Amino acid sequence: MAVFSMWVKRAPSRLLPCLSSLSYKQNGSSYKSNGFSSQRNGYDNKSSYDSGKYQRNGFGGQRSGGYGGQRNGFGNKGGWNDQNSLQTINWESKSLMPFEKNFYEPHPNVKKRSEYEVEQYRQSNEITIDGDAPSPIQNFDETNFPDYVMDQIKSQGYEKPTCIQAQGWPLALSGKNMVGIAQTGSGKTLAYILPAIVHINNQQPLSRGDGPIALVLAPTRELAQQIQQVANEFGHSTYVRNTCVFGGAPKGPQARDLERGVEIVIATPGRLIDFLEKGTTNLQRCTYLVLDEADRMLDMGFEPQIRKILGQIRPDRQTLMWSATWPKEVKRLAQDFLSDYVQINIGSLQLSANHNILQIVDVCGENEKEFKLNTLLQEIGDNVDRDSKVIIFVETKRKVEDITRTIRKFGWPAVCMHGDKSQQERDYVLRQFRNGKSTILVATDVAARGLDVDGIKFVINYDYPNSSEDYIHRIGRTGRSNTTGTSYAFFTPNNSKQAKDLVSVLKEANQVVNPKLEDMAKRSGGYGGGNNRWGGFRGSYRGGRDSQPKRMKW
Ligand code: AMP
């Protein structure tokens, strides 16, 4: 069995914004505490997190079904099965065919490198590790990928591995489970596809009726198709076949690919479950599993589907989970399904706001908010294009209803959304907002993440959220796809514990800091941990979001 070695020579340059080469400029944003006027020009943002477009699929509207059918998760290959659910597999009762997953032998140069040199390299490239990871390779000469892979890399014109590849390849090839925190655009697809190809080429070939050896789960059709493009480029010369299965397209051609047999399946969760339930394919041969953009998948309500799919795959598989952020939901998924894993983070540990957004913080009293909101909407209405959309974030469902009523009384076309609204109501509200029939959406944090609506120019934090991470997600509803936007926050003495974190978010984004807020930050001391986007590795305390008070139920 071939063993591929990874060899090292010199440091790669940085490919991406996450690697500290963020450039930004913000000229002339001025803050006036008595109103909200501001000027801006010249934003140059390169740090937005959601570069791909997607629409959140329904805030928890999840597939029903579940376990308990009669199938045993194996057998039944290639044909249709009228059983409509997947049975939980009792892995302990199965005798599983052994398979190889460690193909890594470091190059002598890598072995020679001192701990200090490795640490220096990681630090200068903003690579942080939790766990026992092999040393990174430092350029392509040090990778001993097979020729067919190297030829393809050369034909792409890539000069050096990106940071995620430099650290991710040795780790993935060593067969360990891993969590990678990296942004789209960091070269992560190749970081897991090339090891997948090596993994596949070292397994028994597929027999008739076998399912894939590598499974890549992705949140959206668009991302799945992008991944497939990379798998096509690098897989075709090695006869590694793939197919992409996603909802919203006819099932026939996808089913035929699956039945013919493919080594890699790239799938969105819902459509894959359809095929698994019907027995079109199975995951009996799957030994290499990738969860891409895990945070987005959870944001989109796919957790039950992911758990269902993962329950169908042998537990000694290699799992690679990728996420742009590390909230507790993603952490829990990793703990439940990866057990022992190495975590790598690429990029600054600081969570940062999109630099295309002008952030204005008004320090005020609780009882001033209503008046200020009215004034602000008036100013927006008087001065801005009528089609501009506004989101107002409020803490509780009840307040959402109250504020929406009040705004409507003043003649504004407002709609609202919170956790008590039915799926149908939410869909309706989103449609109204999306097509501009209502230009103001009042919402709880149910709309803070993932919501991607064109034309949102203003985000108003009527109630300041419980953490700077939530704040960053909320204001990220504007300034998308390189457009600009403005956010406002009413910040009261009750929020003073958040002042220090907020000041660091503002400073990082080169915003003008309201002196009253700065003063509050100095007096309150805050949590002291800054806006750490991980909340600590493995949930350990680092003074980040884990330390914040529990948010209100919305
Ligand atoms: P991803 O993070 O996988 O979405 O990749 C982002 C982009 O980086 C893609 O367009 C890749 O073609 C490109 N890319 C991947 N690896 C490298 C590399 N080593 N050098 C330069 N560009 C790369």
Side-chain angles (χ1 to χ4, degrees), residues 44-76:
D44 179 8
N45 170 64
K46 301 206 174 79
S47 67
S48 74
Y49 137 58
D50 272 327
S51 61
K53 286 208 167 220
Y54 75 100
Q55 293 168 15
R56 192 178 162 117
N57 87 332
F59 308 96
Q62 285 137 8
R63 293 168 53 89
S64 60
Y67 305 94
Q70 299 306 306
R71 291 183 59 226
N72 64 2
F74 297 125
N76 190 35

Side-chain angles (χ1 to χ4, degrees), residues 296-314:
R296 272 171 88 179
M297 287 203 276
L298 296 190
D299 253 0
M300 294 169 76
F302 283 136
E303 183 164 352
Q305 288 95 324
I306 293 172
R307 288 179 178 272
K308 199 168 182 177
I309 292 166
L310 267 53
Q312 299 295 308
I313 309 174
R314 54 191 287 172

Side-chain angles (χ1 to χ4, degrees), residues 312-349:
Q312 299 295 308
I313 309 174
R314 54 191 287 172
D316 57 349
R317 66 186 177 242
Q318 181 180 6
T319 308
L320 301 90
M321 185 161 120
W322 299 88
S323 188
T325 57
W326 187 230
K328 60 181 185 307
E329 295 80 7
V330 180
K331 216 179 284 179
R332 207 180 49 229
L333 198 68
Q335 279 156 0
D336 289 353
F337 288 102
L338 277 68
S339 55
D340 194 19
Y341 62 90
V342 178
Q343 185 174 338
I344 60 180
N345 181 84
I346 304 296
S348 164
L349 300 189

Side-chain angles (χ1 to χ4, degrees), residues 15 140 156 158-162 165 183-190 226:
L15 178 71
F140 287 131
Q156 298 285 333
Y158 299 154
E159 278 176 29
K160 299 160 185 167
T162 68
Q165 294 162 358
Q183 310 276 336
T184 293
S186 57
K188 69 181 159 60
T189 314
L190 219 47
Q226 277 174 46

Side-chain angles (χ1 to χ4, degrees), residues 96-101 103 175-177 196 199-200 202-204 206 211-215 263 283-290 312-320:
L96 298 168
M97 278 265 286
F99 72 100
E100 186 64 52
K101 57 182 172 182
F103 312 105
K176 293 186 180 185
N177 289 343
H199 180 103
I200 288 163
N202 282 279
Q203 310 301 323
Q204 295 290 334
L206 292 184
I213 295 169
L215 171 66
E263 284 78 15
L283 297 174
Q284 187 184 351
R285 284 290 313 272
C286 181
T287 47
Y288 188 95
L289 169 70
V290 178
Q312 299 295 308
I313 309 174
R314 54 191 287 172
D316 57 349
R317 66 186 177 242
Q318 181 180 6
T319 308
L320 301 90

